[in-house]
Amino acid sequence: MATQAVLRALLEDPTRPRYGFDIAGQAGIATGSLYPILARFEHLGWLDSYWEDTAEVQDGRPRRRYYRLSTNGAASAREALDRVGRRVPRAWRPAGGTA
């Protein structure tokens, strides 16, 4: 379920770079669960990532690593969620959406 939540969060705007804490918040999961998922997606070629330029860092916070779905990753993510949606019995699906 965490993997699906991350995919849904990333697919809301696949071309927008997002940092981990932002993705975790939207997906409703802990960052400790998020980063292994992001690493797996990056290894599969579904994600592109880069470190924030040090000149952009504000208020002494650490640099952020940004993630965004690659073109193939967005298509693969949609297909994966579609496959999962077909396997989940309709009675178990939340109202107005897929599992």
Side-chain angles (χ1 to χ4, degrees):
M1 294 304 237
T3 300
Q4 294 171 40
V6 170
L7 289 177
R8 285 189 189 93
L10 291 167
L11 281 169
E12 283 196 15
D13 189 352
T15 62
R16 186 177 113 211
R18 311 269 304 276
Y19 58 96
F21 191 73
D22 179 42
I23 298 167
Q26 186 174 358
I29 64 171
T31 55
S33 298
L34 173 71
Y35 289 106
I37 293 169
L38 294 177
R40 187 172 62 237
F41 290 158
E42 193 166 14
H43 179 74
L44 291 170
W46 289 19
L47 284 180
D48 296 321
S49 70
Y50 62 92
W51 283 102
E52 176 180 43
D53 187 337
T54 55
E56 296 174 17
V57 175
Q58 301 171 11
D59 302 323
R61 67 167 168 74
R63 284 190 320 158
R64 293 175 174 160
R65 186 162 185 87
Y66 283 91
Y67 302 87
R68 106 176 109 213
L69 286 168
S70 65
T71 303
N72 291 337
S76 296
R78 286 184 189 98
E79 290 171 16
L81 288 175
D82 185 51
R83 281 193 308 270
V84 169
R86 287 193 305 259
R87 287 193 312 225
V88 175
R90 184 172 298 275
W92 294 355
R93 292 183 190 166
T98 61

